[in-house]
Amino acid sequence: MDEMDWALLRELQADARLSYSELSRRVHLSPPAVAERVRRLEESGVITGYHAHVDPARAGRSVVALIRMSCYGARCILNHPETTDWPEIMQVHRITGDACSMLTVTAGSIGEFEAVIDRLAAYGQPSSTMVLSTPLRWRAVTPPVPDGSDKTPSSRRRR
């Protein structure tokens, strides 16, 4: 990926609804060239989709929790992909350590959250942590910092 790809990603992550014409204007490249680069980013899997960022609480899911699942073998949640269809499960991460996965879960009430915990118990031992607030909801992917550099992305922006 070159600087132009990163410029396109920066703009699309800020507003995925931009037209190729507007993207072209912002990155100073012709619309056909922009369309070709975006197509390449999609085909290579760098861009995996376009979506709206939704606030779970404002969408009726005010309970947010992280659930560590300790489960192994045939009954492990990672071996049961149907659980990813549960509307309460927003993310599943396979992790290292004494648990096998970490789930991000949203629910409309504590009662609904309890029901999710009860259903998860069939796959192993769930251990939950309630989210009180989320100071950083989402961050755009930016170019990696070159090796050996002690500059963080935020220190580069201030200059």
Side-chain angles (χ1 to χ4, degrees):
M1 289 188 27
D2 62 15
E3 288 295 320
M4 184 55 65
D5 289 335
W6 282 110
L8 288 166
L9 288 175
R10 184 174 43 256
E11 295 297 335
L12 287 171
Q13 287 178 100
D15 185 356
R17 297 183 304 169
L18 292 174
S19 67
Y20 287 146
S21 177
E22 180 59 20
L23 261 176
S24 167
R25 189 185 67 72
R26 291 184 184 195
V27 300
H28 310 292
L29 199 63
S30 72
V34 164
E36 176 60 25
R37 280 181 174 261
V38 169
R39 185 191 59 73
R40 270 198 342 252
L41 290 167
E42 291 168 344
E43 286 178 354
S44 67
V46 173
I47 295 175
T48 60
Y50 301 88
H51 62 275
H53 292 277
V54 177
D55 182 322
R58 291 185 184 205
R61 293 179 175 222
S62 58
V63 177
V64 179
L66 304 174
I67 301 174
R68 288 170 29 118
M69 289 296 296
S70 295
C71 53
Y72 301 95
R75 69 180 205 151
C76 178
I77 193 168
L78 296 173
N79 293 327
H80 295 274
E82 70 275 3
T83 57
T84 60
D85 293 334
W86 298 3
E88 300 89 356
I89 298 177
M90 306 307 292
Q91 291 182 308
V92 177
H93 301 279
R94 184 175 184 184
I95 62 173
T96 62
D98 59 350
C100 68
S101 57
M102 178 75 72
L103 288 61
T104 304
V105 172
T106 62
S109 68
I110 293 296
E112 288 177 20
F113 176 70
E114 268 187 288
V116 172
I117 292 289
D118 291 344
R119 288 191 314 183
L120 286 171
Y123 299 96
Q125 182 178 351
S127 175
S128 64
T129 301
M130 302 303 291
V131 173
L132 300 176
S133 66
T134 306
L136 178 61
R137 288 202 164 277
W138 178 83
R139 173 176 282 160
V141 176
T142 59
V145 177
D147 288 343
S149 173
D150 60 350
K151 295 177 184 146
T152 61
S154 59
S155 68
R156 286 186 289 165
R157 271 186 250 137
R158 285 188 219 123
R159 293 184 180 195

